[in-house]
Amino acid sequence: MGLKERRKREKRERHAQIMAAARKVLFKHGMSMASIKRIAQAAELGVGTLYSYFGSKEDIFIALQEEGLEMLAREIQKIAEDTEDPLTRLRKIARAYLTFSETGKDYFDILNYFLSSPGTVFEHGLKQQIDKHASQVLNILVTAIDSGKQQGVFYTTHPRRHAVILWATLHGLIQFRKMEATLLPGEDFYRLYNQAVDNFIRNLTTKSKSHKL
Amino acid sequence: MGLKERRKREKRERHAQIMAAARKVLFKHGMSMASIKRIAQAAELGVGTLYSYFGSKEDIFIALQEEGLEMLAREIQKIAEDTEDPLTRLRKIARAYLTFSETGKDYFDILNYFLSSPGTVFEHGLKQQIDKHASQVLNILVTAIDSGKQQGVFYTTHPRRHAVILWATLHGLIQFRKMEATLLPGEDFYRLYNQAVDNFIRNLTTKSKSHKL
Amino acid sequence: MGLKERRKREKRERHAQIMAAARKVLFKHGMSMASIKRIAQAAELGVGTLYSYFGSKEDIFIALQEEGLEMLAREIQKIAEDTEDPLTRLRKIARAYLTFSETGKDYFDILNYFLSSPGTVFEHGLKQQIDKHASQVLNILVTAIDSGKQQGVFYTTHPRRHAVILWATLHGLIQFRKMEATLLPGEDFYRLYNQAVDNFIRNLTTKSKSHKL
Amino acid sequence: MGLKERRKREKRERHAQIMAAARKVLFKHGMSMASIKRIAQAAELGVGTLYSYFGSKEDIFIALQEEGLEMLAREIQKIAEDTEDPLTRLRKIARAYLTFSETGKDYFDILNYFLSSPGTVFEHGLKQQIDKHASQVLNILVTAIDSGKQQGVFYTTHPRRHAVILWATLHGLIQFRKMEATLLPGEDFYRLYNQAVDNFIRNLTTKSKSHKL
DNA sequence: TATGAATGAGGTTTCATTCAT
DNA sequence: CATGAATGAAACCTCATTCAT
């Protein structure tokens, strides 16, 4: 019995060890340079060992992506809990997403990698796993909006829809950041980003939109 | 004289032939599978021939991307010209972008490829060429907003900023479409997309936002 | 324990196997035709395998060259040790170099490859390794001259300088051998070679040269 | 008749034009970078045109090599004619060869290329053509020695043999120059080179060597 | 005769994956 | 279960040479 337990524990440990190595390599050398061999070396394990824990290189990336989304979820969850005012909450969350894209740049790259991969392929349940985590993140946004609605600050009949729009907007902006110099010469990106959030909030705080839809 | 002319024409034709092949391969197998060899085969040309028309694989993608952005620009430009009402114009443009992402999916993928590629690298000159075309697209949006402002329908002191936000929002939404089933189960994507546009317009048509900034 | 040992042995064997294949290919097809692919085929190994033993194609050549120079050093060292008379010793060493150029023709070619390669490039570390071996060979010559000096047979204040001149002369002659038929029609190359050695010795055995310098 | 003449002249002109371009490319980019295309561009001619004047790329190199040897021959011939004293003459010639290896480095590289090429292959009369020019150079050395003999300054029964030895020595030294730093650290190459020439001259100026042979 | 577009074999190198130990 | 040597396909790119015009 104790043996089985130990086995299980060791397995978890190895798993974590590999993930840590993958993360390290990813952040140090970037996605394209993150080869299995390099990760194995960083993990101080044989490549074969990696393959007994992960079915393929892609699997490792998927795991990393989940990790990234989990981390993101945790961060904005904490913010959501710590902030009273719905408006401030939303602003802080948006800000956190931007920060995440900066400090966790590589997690962000992986997310994009998957979002950019061909078609809706993704085979099997892998996609679902990823989506699940994305859903988690989204839910925090939804809750944030919902609670604002409850408090009579936000007006919307489709909180989830708005949540998706917000996230998409922020995500899109961060992606476009690469073209910042050309698209918005002389402008501060943060100002632009905040403007987008403000616009969004203004929409939520304004009544009687239903007749428009 | 005739010979030179023919040479030139043939050169143009080969160029188009290669671009078509690249497009085809890209569409069929996706970005990561689009190797020079495969493109050459699709074009029924030798590998070397491709290299006498394009300096590198990346160059082909850049050309495709320019092509895509040009096509997009042309399409929405036409819409912009053909539509009187600023609101309708914006809606139609947004709609066109969605259509573009559907029918010109490969072009969209390439855009993402460049937006997702590491860092702000791009070797400068190339980046500028791409950005130039992106700028072109953006300018149409700016003009659309500006003209609405002129007509007293839109209120904004930063048309360009708003244009970027709109484009980013639409782009982000289309990217997130892949997670549609999970993020918005049972919802129609078009409705979501339209909602985003409506929100945006509502912002523009509402006065006195300046005190918010 | 035994496993590790075997692994090590196998690794050495593969290394030797690759070197042997490289030598074979080199000898059979010449330097310019010695591609990695061909060497891999000759070694009956995958291309990738070669790259896990050698960092690059050049590395293989460097290894071969070191091998060659080591072999040469060993051979003339043995002669130097086995021969008492300084004059005979020098003659035998010279003779051995000629033999080396004949039996180890490929090694000789590689040496020329490096001596003929562009500039003083060589990426530093590698160059030093090669030079080290060349130095080893030279030192034997120096010692041979030095000991002759000690015995009062040779007169020179710059043994090293003379050693270099001797080696360069022999090397140059062997290179020119290709033009033998034209440059020295009807002459025996060996006679020419010996003459050069004799000239050299005559210089060393003659006193009072210092006033010339 | 006049037409034929013109044709011939034009042909010679084209030939020179190509050679000039090849020389230019060679000296600017070095041997390995001297592709047919580049040469053709430099000559402002089509690649096909080059092939109607030269059978292959190698042929161009052969021509260049002849050119180099011719130039060398001319230079040392002039020196030989302009100098009275046999000793000075030899020294000046040696010096000229060193200078040639420095200023005409690429000619020198080509010479080595051919001297290093596999076996004594060289097929057909190409080899002979090259050898002929080499012979020309050698003859100047032979004459220089011979005339010294006539003047009673040099003593030798085999002027040609000595000439070859001299050339080989100088050539070998120049090749070894690449290993200068290791082989002769802290020594001036010119001193070494001059020493070799002095040694050679000392041999020639000393009588009664015949009993040694 | 001059052209230069087209070729495609060849070059080196990387890397995900397998499998015998 | 852990290992890492071996694999070999695939990647991008170059370039001497040919040949239809």
Side-chain angles (χ1 to χ4, degrees), chain D residues 34-200:
Chain D
S35 69
I36 286 280
K37 200 176 187 179
R38 226 189 282 262
I39 295 172
Q41 271 163 355
E44 298 183 3
L45 288 170
V47 282
T49 311
L50 262 68
Y51 273 89
S52 59
Y53 286 90
F54 293 89
S56 73
K57 190 190 165 184
E58 188 123 294
D59 282 3
I60 298 180
F61 283 156
I62 289 172
L64 275 177
Q65 215 245 24
E66 290 181 23
E67 190 183 70
L69 286 176
E70 261 167 30
M71 187 190 287
L72 173 63
R74 247 190 334 268
E75 279 171 20
I76 62 177
Q77 176 66 40
K78 215 179 64 189
I79 287 168
E81 283 166 3
D82 290 0
T83 321
E84 287 287 303
D85 178 42
L87 273 72
T88 314
R89 193 185 292 158
L90 233 45
R91 283 208 181 85
K92 279 196 173 172
I93 288 176
R95 182 65 190 218
Y97 193 56
L98 181 56
T99 306
F100 174 73
S101 84
E102 287 169 345
T103 60
K105 198 195 155 308
D106 295 279
Y107 283 131
F108 203 79
D109 280 355
I110 298 183
L111 180 56
N112 272 323
Y113 168 72
F114 285 115
L115 287 177
S116 306
S117 52
T120 325
V121 195
F122 263 73
E123 311 176 28
H124 330 306
L126 300 181
K127 178 185 161 51
Q128 285 172 12
Q129 270 201 333
I130 291 181
D131 284 11
K132 198 187 77 190
H133 290 279
S135 214
Q136 224 168 75
V137 172
L138 184 66
N139 281 336
I140 301 170
L141 285 177
V142 174
T143 307
I145 293 173
D146 250 342
S147 94
K149 193 176 159 189
Q150 232 96 102
Q151 293 177 44
V153 188
F154 294 156
Y155 306 95
T156 171
T157 46
H158 297 290
R160 196 170 187 84
R161 219 187 262 174
H162 277 93
V164 172
I165 291 172
L166 176 58
W167 195 5
T169 301
L170 303 184
H171 191 81
L173 281 172
I174 292 169
Q175 274 212 293
F176 276 21
R177 192 173 187 179
K178 208 168 271 173
M179 302 191 290
E180 191 183 359
T182 319
L183 261 34
L184 279 163
E187 268 244 38
D188 183 34
F189 180 74
Y190 296 101
R191 201 185 296 265
L192 171 70
Y193 193 79
N194 286 331
Q195 169 93 65
V197 179
D198 282 332
N199 287 358
F200 180 79

